Amino acid sequence: MSIEVIKKGRPRAYPPRPTECTVIFWEALTKGKFQTTKCNDCNSFTFPPKPVCPHCWSSSVSWKELSGKGTLYSRTTIYAAPATFKNETPIHAGIIDLEEGIRIATQLLEDDPIPIDSAVEIVAILYSDGPLYGARKPK
């Protein structure tokens, strides 16, 4: 399953610092794939991806694609952000409960506020210097 890729013609305000493990996540996100690691021993998902399961400490993990579908658990709007994000405000941020049982924090892409408990979908945002991800109401 793929997620939509939205192109932005500018660099990210604060790019992530990929590790040996997470570079796989960021490269896949560029192609519209939203994935993370899942433990082969206890079957727990981990987000962000990790080389060792934080639930049972197993190093036997595999990459699994996620649906990108979830529910908005919580939200806030940030008006006073650090200088790095001055051109990004207001920043709409939310906590999303994904279908796979993972809870993540991400930017909300919205024109009107998304109500709590609404269905949302993850999208890849492809900036000129690499990808990020966000959530929005399903199209």
Side-chain angles (χ1 to χ4, degrees):
M1 180 181 298
S2 293
I3 59 172
E4 184 176 346
V5 177
I6 299 169
K7 294 188 177 183
K8 296 264 187 171
R10 60 182 171 80
R12 297 169 287 187
Y14 192 82
R17 296 181 195 129
T19 65
E20 187 176 322
C21 177
T22 64
V23 71
I24 296 166
F25 169 80
W26 295 111
E27 287 174 356
L29 191 60
T30 300
K31 300 170 188 158
K33 301 289 183 194
F34 192 61
Q35 61 184 13
T36 195
T37 48
K38 184 176 183 181
C39 180
N40 295 321
D41 291 328
C42 74
N43 291 316
S44 296
F45 282 102
T46 302
F47 195 89
K50 294 178 178 57
V52 174
C53 176
H55 305 282
C56 73
W57 301 105
S58 172
S59 59
S60 178
V61 296
S62 300
W63 285 92
K64 299 294 181 189
E65 196 166 341
L66 302 170
S67 69
K69 297 177 182 175
T71 304
L72 182 61
Y73 172 78
S74 180
R75 59 165 296 116
T76 192
T77 301
I78 303 162
Y79 295 97
T84 301
F85 297 99
K86 70 179 177 181
N87 295 326
E88 305 286 324
T89 56
I91 300 167
H92 305 284
I95 305 291
I96 310 298
D97 287 333
L98 296 175
E99 284 182 344
E100 293 81 4
I102 305 167
R103 183 171 278 176
I104 66 170
T106 190
Q107 174 185 8
L108 298 175
L109 309 176
E110 59 185 11
D111 294 322
D112 296 314
I114 301 171
I116 301 294
D117 291 329
S118 292
V120 293
E121 65 183 3
I122 302 297
V123 295
I125 308 164
L126 188 56
Y127 289 86
S128 60
D129 64 345
L132 290 177
Y133 59 91
R136 69 176 183 197
K137 288 183 184 179
K139 293 257 175 178

